[in-house]
Amino acid sequence: MTEALWPAPVATSAVDATVTIPGSKSATNRALVLAALAARPGWVRRPLRSRDSQLMADGLRALGVSIEETVNSDAGGTGGGEAWRVIPGPLHGPAQVDVGNAGTVMRFLPPVAALADGPVHFDGDPRSYERPQHGVINALRTLGARIDDGGRGGFPLTVHGTGSLDGGLVEVDASTSSQFISALLLSGPRFNNGVEIRNVGETVPSLPHIRMTVDMLRKAGAQVDAPEDGGEKDVWRVAPGALIGRDLVVEPDLSNAAPFFAAALVTGGRVTVRDWPKHTYQPGDQLREIYTAMGGSCRFVEDGLEFTGTGRIQGIEADLHDVGELTPVIAAVAALADSESHLYGIAHLRLHETDRLAALAKEINDLGGDVTETEDGLRIRPRKLHGGVFHTYEDHRLATAAAVLGLAVEGVQVENVATTAKTLPDFPRMWADLLGQV
């Protein structure tokens, strides 16, 4: 069935809005794994309810973890609103896990399955077969797991769990995904000998996500040594030990603020995102610096973070290696700027939900743009754009990038805007609210 096209609304005036962003997908899925591996029950509060987090919760349930979803609960500690009560149970197979096209699920759950007693079969969307998984598969085999993947180095695959895993030293090439390291760190405390991970790749993309993993592990009671603490470069260690079931409140997903702050830039308006943390490990926090360089300004206010645009957008030279997920919306803003932009350090985006570099170049160019791929990024020369269909390739961040272009370009039709449900389950309504077009 062909998805209906969504007409991206054009901004008729400067935006002036306050937005509540749903919880962080990255933090929600890490919190679910840590709670599932803990020694006693815990709470995950204000979680993101999306396809990716539901796949994670359902995968853990298949392995024997109880996850109870409640609303307006104050039981167990801080905060109200939606909360998930996670009750660890003996991990077991046989089980079937659907990873969809969720990187966190496809990377984080196989190490958990290695701790289960029995076979756990993993399958997912067709795109999951193409995404790199070798880092997790090879590492788990080194650490003592038996995995049947038919020699593919990817999905579908079966992890034959025996109830425990030796752990120890393992070398990983994490140059295509930082999630390989996070996956092993999250389950590492439950390995008999913990885990010592040595990255043997030339680089690691999205390092802030690993720092988030380390921070959340420590808050759950794990002992972790990491390079940023003065430890050995490219080496992470987790000692074996029990994890604490705790009460965790998930921060807003700062990466999802990208299109909303972009609307302030494009229209010369003002947008406040509620509850923006003053200290965070989320890569999305770098939006403050990037968008300021593109012509806006920001400040902390009582409600959160306020971003203001002037209506003039400057091109940017930016290394987005650590914040690759922000690239699609930044590229859209750059296509509306008054000077050329060069976005680099993001070759790994070719292996995300889709080949994001090729997709962005094609779709912006099809609207009259001038975008060329470089070896590790994009060069964007602003041109007068026109309407047309913007294909999203089942990629939520391409859909939000298209919405940003539509603010200034009449006739942009977004294919499958519903793919935004991956992290922004109610995006079309939120966008209409932002523009006062409800």
Side-chain angles (χ1 to χ4, degrees), residues 180-192:
F180 296 162
I181 292 173
S182 285
L184 299 169
L185 288 174
L186 288 167
S187 291
R190 289 284 303 271
F191 299 165
N192 296 337

Side-chain angles (χ1 to χ4, degrees), residues 160-424:
H160 296 274
T162 58
S164 67
L165 196 67
D166 290 341
L169 172 65
V170 63
E171 292 185 341
V172 176
D173 181 350
S175 55
T176 55
S177 178
S178 66
Q179 290 175 350
F180 296 162
I181 292 173
S182 285
L184 299 169
L185 288 174
L186 288 167
S187 291
R190 289 284 303 271
F191 299 165
N192 296 337
N193 299 305
V195 68
E196 177 177 325
I197 307 159
R198 293 180 174 268
N199 173 50
V200 295
E202 289 187 9
T203 184
V204 181
S206 304
L207 272 171
H209 279 112
I210 300 180
R211 294 186 186 120
M212 179 194 295
T213 301
V214 169
D215 180 61
M216 293 180 72
L217 272 162
R218 287 173 174 160
K219 287 175 178 172
Q223 181 182 329
V224 188
D225 296 324
E228 59 266 26
D229 305 314
E232 199 173 340
K233 184 178 184 295
D234 282 341
V235 177
W236 291 261
R237 297 182 184 88
V238 180
L243 293 171
I244 303 165
R246 57 187 300 271
D247 195 321
L248 184 140
V249 180
V250 176
E251 295 176 351
D253 192 326
L254 305 188
S255 295
N256 279 333
F260 298 97
F261 283 161
L265 264 178
V266 172
T267 69
R270 178 176 57 191
V271 171
T272 300
V273 171
R274 288 190 179 94
D275 301 323
W276 193 285
K278 291 191 175 177
H279 174 74
T280 180
Y281 287 94
Q282 287 193 59
D285 192 45
Q286 291 189 34
L287 280 170
R288 294 189 290 153
E289 177 184 345
I290 294 166
Y291 278 172
T292 297
M294 297 187 85
S297 62
C298 64
R299 63 180 184 134
F300 281 99
V301 295
E302 186 177 348
D303 280 349
L305 185 71
E306 177 188 275
F307 190 86
T308 305
T310 62
R312 177 173 178 258
I313 304 169
Q314 302 163 13
I316 192 173
E317 280 273 329
D319 182 349
L320 301 182
H321 185 258
D322 284 346
V323 291
E325 65 200 44
L326 303 179
T327 300
V329 171
I330 292 171
V333 174
L336 301 172
D338 59 12
S339 56
E340 184 174 320
S341 293
H342 180 206
L343 311 179
Y344 57 94
I346 43 178
H348 59 284
L349 294 191
R350 294 189 170 98
L351 301 169
H352 277 221
E353 279 83 344
T354 188
D355 178 341
R356 283 179 170 164
L357 300 185
L360 284 164
K362 179 184 185 304
E363 297 308 315
I364 295 174
N365 288 346
D366 282 354
L367 300 183
D370 182 2
V371 181
T372 54
E373 286 189 64
T374 65
E375 184 179 350
D376 70 339
L378 298 171
R379 194 168 292 280
I380 303 167
R381 302 170 186 85
R383 295 285 185 270
K384 183 172 176 57
L385 302 179
H386 56 72
V389 176
F390 193 106
H391 300 93
T392 58
Y393 308 87
E394 306 282 332
D395 189 330
H396 56 131
R397 300 208 189 274
L398 284 172
T400 53
V404 169
L405 289 170
L407 292 171
V409 181
E410 288 191 19
V412 174
Q413 302 278 320
V414 185
E415 173 211 47
N416 190 18
V417 74
T419 193
T420 54
K422 185 179 176 77
T423 55
L424 280 169

